[in-house]
Structure formats: structure tokens, C-alpha cells
Amino acid sequence: MDECCVPRTPGGYDEVFDARFARKLARRYERRGPTKPEQVVIDFASSLGLTGATVLEVGGGIGEIQLELLRRGAAHTTNLELSRQYEPEAARLARAAGRQTSITRLVGIDIAVDPASVAPADIVVLNRVVCCYPDYDRLLSASAALARRAVVFSHPPRTLLTRALGVLANAGMRLTRHTYRGFIHPPQAMIDVLARHGFAADYRRRAGLWAVVGAVRS
């Protein structure tokens, strides 16, 4: 997961985040609710006041965070995905929750490449997403440009252990001929990107193996 060891062009998302993976996530959510990192993201967003808020989630998968934020008062959510394999499970969960009209799902839009293709939102969420994208600066800059009030993202801590595990994981991807690669980006550098765009990252929490950063527009 080091930047020097992987292609610079993102790809392979449909291969790794496939229909089987989506079904597994949906079953887990239906049985247990949000994961620890998801709950921390939800708690941060809720602390801002969600009544009438709009949410943009980049790489929201089956949309479980969005469903929880809608239950807490958000008016509408938009989900961006580069893998279309999540769509059947996401649609099923939205129907079960009676939230079909409150969620817009868009597939194939990369905001790091074309941020103008998406409308701004009050809160932008990137849960377990930055580590799936090679250029964290462009991705977080685009997210900041689209966020009226706040950006919240999670990332793996950058330690010797996580970097070693990342190298092994990417080696496995190469051996199995997958084009997808993961990344362990420098945490402070990601926070600095948001600061450059006028966001103060005063909210920082550990959630299991993940770190969550919440940044509010100054």
C-alpha cells in the first residue's frame, strides 16, 4: 500500500468490491448495525446537527451510513461509486428502510477527476475510501470543494505493521492479476489538504483498526 509500489491510475474496483462482497456487507449490517468506524462517522455527522442536511458519500458501498444519517434527520443523501456491484444490495436496503426517494446513487463518477459533475452537500463522507485511491490530495481537495460544512473520512494508521500488511496485500493482488491496489497515505498530509481548503480537523478518533477524522469549515 505504499505509493511507490502501485499504479497511479485507480482501477479494478468491480473485481474486488463485487456482488459477493456487497451481500456480505449487507448481511452484516442487517444483523449488527454499523461497524465501529461507521458509528464514529455517524456520531460526528450527528454532532453537527443533521436536520434538513444534505450528505454526499464518496464510495458509500451499500449505503448503510446514509441510511443511519437519514434516520437521524438528514434530508437527502447522494452516493458515488466506482464499482457498480453494490447497487442491487443498496437498492434492497433502501427499499426496506422506505428511503428510496431520499437517496441518489451515481456510478462511475470520480470526483477527483471531475468534481464539477456533482452538486455540493452540507457534509461529505469518505469512509474507508481514501486508502483505495492513489491521489489523496486530489480526492480530498475535491471533497473539500463540495462540502459546505464538514468533511469526515476514515483511514488506516500509517505504521510499520500496516505498511507491511499493505505490501503483502498488494503483492497478492498482483499474483491474482487484479489491478486494484490499496494505499497507506500519511495521515497528517491528508489533514493538511483539508486545512489548505479551510477546514479544521479537530475531531480525531480511533475506531478499531481505523482512524476517523472530522473536519469543519472554519
Side-chain angles (χ1 to χ4, degrees), residues 54-58 78 80 106 109-126 138-151 194 197 199 217:
T54 55
V55 177
L56 170 64
E57 186 170 11
V58 181
T78 299
L80 303 184
L106 304 172
I109 294 177
D110 182 348
I111 61 167
V113 175
D114 188 12
S117 61
V118 182
D122 294 311
I123 301 168
V124 175
V125 176
L126 306 97
R138 289 182 69 184
L139 180 59
L140 288 172
S141 292
S143 298
L146 290 167
R148 298 189 189 98
R149 294 168 56 191
V151 176
L194 295 180
H197 292 276
F199 287 82
R217 186 176 289 281

Side-chain angles (χ1 to χ4, degrees):
M1 290 188 184
D2 271 329
E3 294 87 333
C4 64
C5 305
V6 296
R8 302 305 297 174
T9 301
Y13 296 107
D14 281 288
E15 299 172 351
V16 175
F17 306 110
D18 58 11
R20 180 181 179 184
F21 182 74
R23 288 192 296 270
K24 180 180 178 181
L25 291 182
R27 285 196 299 269
R28 189 214 176 279
Y29 173 63
E30 289 174 309
R31 289 196 306 265
R32 304 181 190 175
T35 64
K36 287 183 179 179
E38 289 167 352
Q39 190 60 58
V40 174
V41 169
I42 292 161
D43 290 344
F44 169 75
S46 298
S47 73
L48 302 174
L50 286 172
T51 302
T54 55
V55 177
L56 170 64
E57 186 170 11
V58 181
I62 58 172
E64 64 271 46
I65 288 178
Q66 295 162 57
L67 291 174
E68 295 296 321
L69 296 181
L70 287 166
R71 291 189 181 107
R72 286 161 175 76
H76 192 273
T77 69
T78 299
N79 185 83
L80 303 184
E81 263 304 334
L82 293 178
S83 170
R84 63 182 61 254
Q85 303 300 320
Y86 291 109
E87 298 311 296
E89 289 299 322
R92 183 180 66 79
L93 291 175
R95 285 194 303 271
R99 298 289 184 174
Q100 308 96 303
T101 60
S102 301
I103 302 170
T104 298
R105 294 188 61 91
L106 304 172
V107 178
I109 294 177
D110 182 348
I111 61 167
V113 175
D114 188 12
S117 61
V118 182
D122 294 311
I123 301 168
V124 175
V125 176
L126 306 97
N127 181 52
R128 298 177 61 171
V129 167
V130 182
C131 58
C132 299
Y133 200 85
D135 194 337
Y136 68 86
D137 194 312
R138 289 182 69 184
L139 180 59
L140 288 172
S141 292
S143 298
L146 290 167
R148 298 189 189 98
R149 294 168 56 191
V151 176
V152 56
F153 72 96
S154 63
H155 65 87
R158 187 179 172 94
T159 65
L160 289 175
L161 176 60
T162 58
R163 294 177 74 179
L165 291 173
V167 169
L168 290 174
N170 282 334
M173 290 291 171
R174 283 193 293 273
L175 287 173
T176 55
R177 300 183 183 276
H178 286 96
T179 58
Y180 170 83
R181 299 292 183 269
F183 304 84
I184 302 289
H185 297 305
Q188 188 57 51
M190 292 189 285
I191 291 169
D192 290 345
V193 172
L194 295 180
R196 199 170 71 229
H197 292 276
F199 287 82
D202 295 329
Y203 183 94
R204 306 184 195 184
R205 301 286 188 276
R206 285 296 296 270
L209 299 177
W210 294 83
V212 177
V213 176
V216 176
R217 186 176 289 281
S218 302

